[in-house]
Amino acid sequence: MYLHPLLGDHNPLIDRIAHHFSTIGLAGTDLLAIDHLCYRVETLSRYSQLKAQLSATDILVDESEINGRPISIFRLSNPLTHGLYEITALELPAPLESKPYKEGFEHAEFLVPSLKEFKEDYFMVDFDQKDLGKEVNPCLALKIDDIGVKFHEKHILDVVRIQRETGKL
């Protein structure tokens, strides 16, 4: 179990998600991987500080402005692990002025082989489908109390590459 020295323990987030999955009948075997975790910060100065600290040990693959604030994507030099999952990427968004966040892990995104089949297999789950029509990386989403969970077919590092090649966010 690797704990990132700057971020702390990611396992409680994934344990809460896994517990919820078991209560709704979602089988972990249908999930290919944990694509990435998102770590939120409370202030822009903390974002800048943590981005610099992470950049010293991990690879900053992208920083883009989305919804009026920067979001950094890192390839982790030492992947985080949870059970059989190896998590190779981290999303670090700067906070939105209108939405304060408590610092810590906030959401996880999972890879599935096919969104269409996943949605059909778990028809009883009330997925948020508003991003299902996105051009670059469509997804299904769930909210578990204060935790966000998304399911999609492309790894975030592949999405960054596609966005660079096509110029589409």
Side-chain angles (χ1 to χ4, degrees):
M1 171 184 4
Y2 174 77
L3 302 178
H4 198 290
L6 297 173
L7 306 176
D9 192 356
H10 60 284
N11 288 296
L13 173 86
I14 300 169
D15 289 341
R16 284 181 63 199
I17 292 168
H19 174 73
H20 184 74
F21 284 176
S22 70
T23 66
I24 62 172
L26 200 151
T29 54
D30 289 338
L31 306 172
L32 296 177
I34 296 176
D35 172 52
H36 72 275
L37 298 179
C38 175
Y39 190 87
R40 298 275 189 179
V41 293
E42 294 183 23
T43 66
L44 188 55
S45 63
R46 177 66 176 139
Y47 168 82
S48 298
Q49 175 192 35
L50 192 53
K51 183 181 95 169
Q53 290 173 312
L54 286 166
S55 295
T57 56
D58 301 297
I59 301 163
L60 177 63
V61 295
D62 188 59
E63 183 179 38
S64 298
E65 188 167 311
I66 300 172
N67 295 329
R69 47 89 191 262
I71 296 179
S72 293
I73 305 296
F74 290 90
R75 179 188 314 269
L76 299 173
S77 298
N78 291 306
L80 301 172
T81 59
H82 186 277
L84 299 175
Y85 292 120
E86 184 175 271
I87 305 144
T88 59
L90 178 82
E91 176 183 6
L92 177 69
L96 288 169
E97 286 184 30
S98 61
K99 286 186 174 181
Y101 290 101
K102 183 178 149 200
E103 182 160 335
F105 288 103
E106 187 259 354
H107 76 253
E109 300 197 14
F110 292 81
L111 294 174
V112 296
S114 162
L115 280 174
K116 181 181 183 293
E117 289 176 21
F118 187 73
K119 185 178 149 201
E120 289 170 0
D121 290 346
Y122 295 100
F123 64 90
M124 70 299 231
V125 177
D126 187 21
F127 291 112
D128 178 341
Q129 299 180 41
K130 73 176 172 35
D131 290 333
L132 201 51
K134 283 174 63 176
E135 186 177 346
V136 175
N137 197 27
C139 71
L140 294 168
L142 278 177
K143 196 72 167 167
I144 304 168
D145 299 321
D146 59 341
I147 299 172
V149 182
K150 292 184 179 179
F151 307 91
H152 47 88
E153 297 171 2
K154 290 184 179 71
H155 195 284
I156 195 167
L157 299 175
D158 293 330
V159 172
V160 167
R161 180 185 49 75
I162 291 166
Q163 289 173 328
R164 283 189 181 146
E165 290 171 358
T166 64
K168 296 178 181 176
L169 290 177

